[in-house]
Amino acid sequence: MGKLPQISEAEFEVMKIIWECAPVSTNEITDRLVQSTDWSPKTIQTLIRRLVGKGAVTYKKQGRVFVYTPSVKEDEYLKEKSSSFVNHYFNGDIRALISSYLESDSISGEDIEALKGILGESDKKI
């Protein structure tokens, strides 16, 4: 898609539902977010409109219902955001990021084993 749109944390919560359920209606998005947040339906509709305006989602009108589909791939967005995070906070040094988690005890033994598995898989690709 080229340059990805800037998505706020609140908009990201809407995007997660769109990525998971697309094509998804306004009512379905609203129903799910009303259960998991303290947002009003009007707030949720505003967030959806913003995402449309940013080009992050597209919509079609089906009868009296708007149905949304992501224009941005989830993995592409997450890859850019994580890369941006590492560059901004750790000067591009992924080792510094991992080291900070290990030093703060924010990572479990299960997480470490999962990372070892991921790294082992990436070694096979090289």
Side-chain angles (χ1 to χ4, degrees), residues 43-56:
T43 298
I44 295 164
Q45 291 171 8
T46 297
L47 292 169
I48 294 169
R49 273 195 307 279
R50 286 183 188 166
L51 288 167
V52 169
K54 292 178 177 186

Side-chain angles (χ1 to χ4, degrees), residues 23-81:
V24 60
S25 73
T26 307
N27 290 341
E28 292 171 291
I29 296 168
T30 302
D31 290 347
R32 292 197 47 186
L33 286 170
V34 164
Q35 293 175 21
S36 63
T37 68
D38 60 354
W39 300 340
S40 72
K42 191 154 185 79
T43 298
I44 295 164
Q45 291 171 8
T46 297
L47 292 169
I48 294 169
R49 273 195 307 279
R50 286 183 188 166
L51 288 167
V52 169
K54 292 178 177 186
V57 299
T58 59
Y59 67 92
K60 290 183 181 177
K61 190 168 184 181
Q62 294 181 348
R64 300 181 75 203
V65 176
F66 289 97
V67 177
Y68 299 89
T69 305
S71 303
V72 174
K73 292 181 181 175
E74 182 178 18
D75 60 340
E76 193 176 306
Y77 180 78
L78 293 175
K79 182 177 180 180
E80 181 180 289
K81 289 302 282 186

Side-chain angles (χ1 to χ4, degrees), residues 4 8 15 29 50 54 57 65 95 110 112 122:
L4 298 175
S8 71
M15 284 302 297
I29 296 168
R50 286 183 188 166
K54 292 178 177 186
V57 299
V65 176
R95 292 169 298 194
E110 186 177 299
I112 291 170
S122 70

